[in-house]
Amino acid sequence: MEGEKHHQHQKWLDESISNGLIRELDALTIRGLQFQHVEKGLLRFKFVIPEHLSDKDGNWHAGAIAVLIDDISVGVVFSSNRRISVSVNFDISYFSPAKIHEEVEIEGKVVAHKDRLTLVAITITKKDSGEMVAFAKQWMSSTSIQMTLGSSKL
């Protein structure tokens, strides 16, 4: 059952990238993102940092990390309430650089709700060492638009 959930979400993400439903910048940033765990208000991923997301020193570019965090925050809120959301406050702390071809683990979870606002926390750690790469808090405001994700029962 859990594996089927991962497969459904992974298929949706891959098809959305391929069909151009996700903006080009976002698609470049999240290509290769793999679902590891899916439940209401909690998503976990693994990600191998591709070369095209590096800075001049071969580190994962801070801007690419920010775009990825923003996209994952939208997904976490969607998993919680099935509504599209937008950022209203975004705070990222960068702790240590990650290199291209390095594998990281990403967890996004809903921390709090207040009316139409949802607070999401995103943690990115290096898979091998467990060292934290970045931590973000993001307040998201849900729109009145409610959507479904294929046949998912999330």
Side-chain angles (χ1 to χ4, degrees), residues 69 89-92 119-122 135-139:
I69 288 171
N89 186 292
F90 193 12
D91 179 47
I92 304 174
L119 177 61
V120 176
I122 306 285
F135 176 79
K137 300 183 305 185
Q138 189 166 7
W139 280 101

Side-chain angles (χ1 to χ4, degrees), residues 59-76:
N59 295 318
W60 190 9
H61 194 283
I65 295 172
V67 171
L68 182 76
I69 288 171
D70 190 44
D71 291 338
I72 289 174
S73 294
V74 170
V76 171

Side-chain angles (χ1 to χ4, degrees), residues 7-25:
H7 179 72
Q8 289 175 341
H9 285 78
Q10 192 68 53
K11 183 179 175 190
W12 174 85
L13 180 64
D14 293 342
E15 287 176 357
S16 296
I17 290 170
S18 297
N19 296 333
L21 296 175
I22 295 177
R23 297 178 311 176
E24 186 175 347
L25 175 63

Side-chain angles (χ1 to χ4, degrees), residues 2-103:
E2 186 69 27
E4 184 179 321
K5 228 187 255 189
H6 294 167
H7 179 72
Q8 289 175 341
H9 285 78
Q10 192 68 53
K11 183 179 175 190
W12 174 85
L13 180 64
D14 293 342
E15 287 176 357
S16 296
I17 290 170
S18 297
N19 296 333
L21 296 175
I22 295 177
R23 297 178 311 176
E24 186 175 347
L25 175 63
D26 296 300
L28 280 172
T29 305
I30 65 175
R31 182 164 305 188
L33 192 63
Q34 296 179 359
F35 283 92
Q36 295 298 297
H37 181 84
V38 176
E39 67 181 74
K40 186 176 182 175
L42 175 66
L43 301 177
R44 286 192 192 109
F45 304 89
K46 70 177 181 178
F47 185 63
V48 176
I49 303 159
E51 289 183 32
H52 69 270
L53 297 180
S54 70
D55 62 14
K56 64 181 175 50
D57 298 320
N59 295 318
W60 190 9
H61 194 283
I65 295 172
V67 171
L68 182 76
I69 288 171
D70 190 44
D71 291 338
I72 289 174
S73 294
V74 170
V76 171
V77 174
F78 182 81
S79 77
S80 176
N81 65 15
R82 292 289 194 227
R83 297 191 183 277
I84 300 300
S85 57
V86 296
S87 299
V88 293
N89 186 292
F90 193 12
D91 179 47
I92 304 174
S93 296
Y94 297 95
F95 293 94
S96 65
K99 295 285 188 190
I100 57 171
H101 305 297
E102 190 166 6
E103 186 171 359

